[in-house]
Amino acid sequence: MLRCSILEKYPYMMDTALPTEKILRWRIQPTPENRAPIPEPFHPTILQQLVIDRPASLDFIHFGHLRDQLIINMGAYDA
């Protein structure tokens, strides 16, 4: 298999690895301690904290009000 070292480092170069790790840590174990270090644009809304059965992809959207609208209308689209 051909490996490209630049692609392996891509999440770290784009500075997305750390926020992703913090969001996933909170998804796996939703505690206040895991929620606190999530960067502000991704900070979970109250609705996100209440609705557990939602697509994980929603947690990576920068805008909380958009995440809430997508959660409210979950049955109207394919995630």
Side-chain angles (χ1 to χ4, degrees):
M1 181 168 94
L2 182 63
R3 295 182 67 174
C4 180
S5 62
I6 193 75
L7 291 179
E8 292 172 1
K9 297 175 187 175
Y10 183 76
Y12 298 96
M13 292 168 41
M14 297 304 295
D15 203 24
T16 59
L18 193 57
T20 300
E21 177 185 331
K22 291 178 181 183
I23 292 168
L24 290 176
R25 186 177 307 231
W26 175 74
R27 276 287 285 189
I28 293 168
Q29 190 173 13
T31 64
E33 294 81 20
N34 287 337
R35 186 179 65 238
I38 296 174
E40 189 60 37
F42 302 104
H43 210 268
T45 64
I46 293 171
L47 187 59
Q48 279 180 277
Q49 296 174 51
L50 295 174
V51 178
I52 296 171
D53 187 27
R54 66 181 184 286
S57 58
L58 295 181
D59 294 338
F60 296 94
I61 297 174
H62 282 86
F63 307 102
H65 62 279
L66 179 58
R67 292 192 304 263
D68 284 349
Q69 288 301 313
L70 290 170
I71 290 170
I72 290 168
N73 296 301
M74 272 196 301
Y77 67 93
D78 294 328

